[in-house]
Amino acid sequence: MSEHRVIEKPWGREEVVEINDKYMVKKLTMWAGHRCSLQYHNIKKETIYVLSGVLKIIQGASQEALEEKLYRAGDTITIPLV
């Protein structure tokens, strides 16, 4: 089932490009100087591909062990299950 929809967010926009039984593809547009909330996933693994700009990702095994790293256009990161 393919479904394309756009969801406006305070930090930018989320576009659902593809959704099916095995995966979901979203395109996120984040406005400069904005951020989304801290989150974790027990069920899904997440892969991020930076199309343009610079993206700061803060991640770690717990809220007490967070590290930040900058990603640029062409960089990818896969965030494992917690």
Side-chain angles (χ1 to χ4, degrees):
M1 170 179 144
S2 182
E3 177 183 331
H4 187 269
R5 67 179 188 263
V6 177
I7 303 150
E8 298 296 330
K9 302 283 188 173
W11 44 260
R13 152 182 319 124
E14 178 179 280
E15 296 177 60
V16 177
V17 177
E18 173 71 31
I19 185 168
N20 61 46
D21 293 340
K22 297 186 182 193
Y23 63 87
M24 175 186 285
V25 176
K26 293 186 211 174
K27 178 181 178 186
L28 302 180
T29 302
M30 299 202 61
W31 308 136
H34 288 74
R35 65 180 186 183
C36 59
S37 60
L38 189 62
Q39 47 187 294
Y40 70 94
H41 302 290
N42 290 322
I43 300 172
K44 66 180 180 178
K45 177 171 57 172
E46 187 168 346
T47 300
I48 298 168
Y49 176 77
V50 181
L51 293 172
S52 65
V54 179
L55 176 66
K56 180 175 20 176
I57 295 180
I58 302 170
Q59 73 176 69
S62 69
Q63 216 169 346
E64 294 76 30
L66 297 176
E67 296 180 4
E68 63 181 58
K69 185 174 176 186
L70 297 178
Y71 295 86
R72 291 173 170 72
D75 289 345
T76 62
I77 178 175
T78 297
I79 302 171
L81 300 175
V82 177

